[in-house]
Amino acid sequence: MILPIYLYGHPVLTTPALEVDPIDPILPGLIQDMFETMYAASGVGLAAPQIGRSMKMFVMDASGFDEKRFAHEKRVFINPVILQEEGDPWSFNEGCLSIPDVRGDVLRKPRIQVEWMDQDGKKQLQWFDDMPARIIQHEYDHLMGKLFVGYFSPLRRQMMQRRLDSIKKGMTKAEYPVFAAPPQGGRHKR
Ligand code: NI
C-alpha cells in the first residue's frame, strides 16, 4: 500500500524515533508499504517517521541511484546504529521526499560502520561507502529527528525559507501522496 509521505513541518519528522520491537507483528506489512511508498516516489531511501511512524527503521534501495553498482543494496534497517564514520567529508546535492523541490549540498564522511537488525530479525554489522553510506546517513538522521536542511548555511536556509514555509502548508508539486501537519499555534476562528 502506498502511504502519504509526511511533509516538512510535521513534528514527527523532528522528533527522535523510538526503538522498534523486533517481534512487532506489524513489521512485515510496514516494511512492504515503505518500499512501495519509496518506489512510488522514486526515492532511494525512506525512514518510518516519513510515513508518520516514530519508529527507528528505514528502507533503502540504492539501485535506484545506480542499477549496476548498487544492485544488491536493497535493505531494511531496524534499530540501526552508526558505530564509526571515517574519511574526508565529500559533498553531494541531496534531496528528501519530505521536503519536495528543495535540494542542497551536504558534506558527509564517505565510510561508515553500521550495526542493525534486518527484516529476518538477524543482527548485521557492516561497512558501507559511497552512495549507500550517504543514504544510510541521511535516513539515520531522520531517526534522530534531523533533516538535511539543518546542514544548510544560514544564508542558504534563508534563501529556501519561503519554499520551506509553503511545503509546511502542503503546497508542493510532488507527484506522490503527501501529508502536511495541521497549522500549529492554537489559532481559533473568531
Ligand atoms: Ni529524507
Side-chain angles (χ1 to χ4, degrees):
M1 188 175 34
I2 296 169
L3 305 168
I5 293 180
Y6 282 46
L7 291 176
Y8 176 86
H10 195 289
V12 73
L13 295 173
T14 44
T15 306
L18 303 172
E19 204 78 7
V20 175
D21 174 2
I23 57 163
D24 190 331
I26 71 158
L27 285 185
L30 193 58
I31 289 165
Q32 197 184 328
D33 289 348
M34 286 177 68
F35 273 116
E36 276 180 43
T37 301
M38 180 183 80
Y39 291 135
S42 306
V44 291
L46 184 75
Q50 294 184 273
I51 50 147
R53 296 244 183 203
S54 188
M55 296 169 74
K56 273 192 179 167
M57 59 185 280
F58 61 83
V59 297
M60 161 175 99
D61 190 346
S63 72
F65 191 79
D66 187 325
E67 221 173 308
K68 279 184 191 152
R69 283 167 69 206
F70 306 131
H72 304 291
E73 292 298 348
K74 177 181 173 177
R75 299 174 190 273
V76 178
F77 294 82
I78 298 166
N79 296 328
V81 181
I82 295 180
L83 299 173
Q84 299 184 66
E85 289 189 299
E86 53 177 53
D88 295 330
W90 63 296
S91 184
F92 183 81
N93 197 249
E94 293 189 15
C96 178
L97 296 177
S98 291
I99 318 175
D101 324 316
V102 173
R103 298 196 72 89
D105 292 339
V106 179
L107 280 169
R108 298 189 191 271
K109 289 188 178 179
R111 217 170 115 73
I112 60 171
Q113 188 191 35
V114 191
E115 185 181 62
W116 76 100
M117 209 187 69
D118 67 18
Q119 66 274 36
D120 302 318
K122 281 194 206 126
K123 274 258 175 197
Q124 302 284 348
L125 177 69
Q126 203 182 303
W127 284 92
F128 292 89
D129 56 18
D130 209 301
M131 278 315 290
R134 179 170 290 269
I135 296 167
I136 292 167
Q137 287 162 320
H138 177 113
E139 301 310 327
Y140 187 76
D141 276 350
H142 273 297
L143 307 186
M144 303 292 134
K146 216 167 148 185
L147 299 168
F148 85 109
V149 290
Y151 293 103
F152 288 3
S153 67
L155 180 65
R156 174 112 185 113
R157 189 80 181 247
Q158 210 181 324
M159 283 163 56
M160 286 289 150
Q161 200 53 54
R162 195 177 297 174
R163 204 175 293 176
L164 291 172
D165 288 343
S166 50
I167 294 170
K168 244 184 212 178
K169 294 178 197 144
M171 286 144 55
T172 149
K173 291 182 212 130
E175 286 168 357
Y176 45 86
V178 293
F179 179 77
Q184 301 286 304
R187 267 175 283 142
H188 298 284
K189 273 189 183 162
R190 287 167 208 258

